Amino acid sequence: MRYNISQNDGGQLFDMVCAKTNNTQIYNNTFYLSKPVDIINNGNGSTGDIAAFRNNIFYVATSQASYINTSPLTFDANIFYGDHPTGEPADTRKVTTDPRLTAPGTATSRADAGGYRLRTGSSALANGNAAARPTNAGSPPPRTAATPLPPSPAACS
């Protein structure tokens, strides 16, 4: 999952319950959270070969957020800004300085997400890690805005 902006997208942003995937790369995304949320719920204990979070901005503007059992997952070069909820992941290259977004939390549709642009001096401009494309054989080709998303998989059984 890459190149997304998420603004208050629900009660659980990432729910790692099924663990039916391998080599899931979550990188170069911006997550703005100002409502109560479990940011990452890894209640089943998925490991780093299941999911890796790299080069993301977690902008947390609520004290009613949490991370659940994130220690087995991989985190590298992410920005954790604002409130620092219980269970915030360890990240050896963690950045906690202001990412200097132009107007976070102001988007009302896809057409007006400009508030998530980085301003001069953003901590996101000088940090990060080259994120490799997943290597599993079933990886789809890169997606563009004109390419429809595939159907969602069936719920966990």
Side-chain angles (χ1 to χ4, degrees), residues 5 30 57 59 98-107 110-125:
I5 296 170
T30 300
I57 298 172
Y59 192 118
D98 188 351
R100 296 185 43 86
L101 302 172
T102 56
T106 60
R110 290 180 186 184
D112 71 348
Y116 290 96
R117 291 187 180 168
L118 302 174
R119 292 185 287 156
T120 301
S122 169
S123 56
L125 294 172

Side-chain angles (χ1 to χ4, degrees), residues 39 90 115 145:
I39 300 168

